[in-house]
Amino acid sequence: VASNRFGTEILMDHGAPNEVQRIHFYGKSFITDNTGAIVAEAPDNTTEEPVMVISSTLNLEQQRQERLAWGLFRDRRPDLYHPLLTKDGNSQK
């Protein structure tokens, strides 16, 4: 889920009434499945202060099974992580 801001933010100079920067946010929130495919998306709306709620139903069990098939953690070796947690990479526990 990626929620995006909408509207304009005006940044003011510290201690002075001068506008430093104006940032425009255009929205376009969306929801993707576990592969990154967009399953729901808010419209590209540039009217003043729109309020949009989008939703989608995801099969969490199916996503869990697909993620397990990726094998990301299959070859993990947590027993070898300790040197990564030290400043010099050599210190013992």
Side-chain angles (χ1 to χ4, degrees):
V1 176
S3 58
N4 297 305
R5 295 168 61 179
F6 179 85
T8 301
E9 181 177 300
I10 300 171
L11 303 174
M12 303 300 287
D13 191 6
H14 294 296
N18 302 329
E19 182 179 316
V20 175
Q21 186 176 16
R22 188 175 288 240
I23 304 171
H24 300 282
F25 298 97
Y26 297 97
K28 288 294 277 185
S29 297
F30 60 91
I31 300 170
T32 66
D33 65 12
N34 60 315
T35 67
I38 294 175
V39 296
E41 184 174 20
D44 186 10
N45 191 344
T46 57
T47 62
E48 287 191 30
E49 299 303 321
V51 175
M52 174 67 60
V53 175
I54 58 174
S55 66
S56 180
T57 301
L58 302 172
N59 183 333
L60 300 181
E61 180 56 28
Q62 177 186 353
Q63 288 191 5
R64 187 180 79 75
Q65 291 298 323
E66 289 175 5
R67 287 181 180 159
L68 286 173
W70 292 347
L72 288 176
F73 298 111
R74 182 189 60 224
D75 299 325
R76 271 190 332 156
R77 291 287 311 270
D79 55 310
L80 300 177
Y81 292 173
H82 185 72
L84 298 174
L85 302 175
T86 64
K87 290 184 180 182
D88 62 6
N90 292 315
S91 298
Q92 298 298 316
K93 292 183 179 178

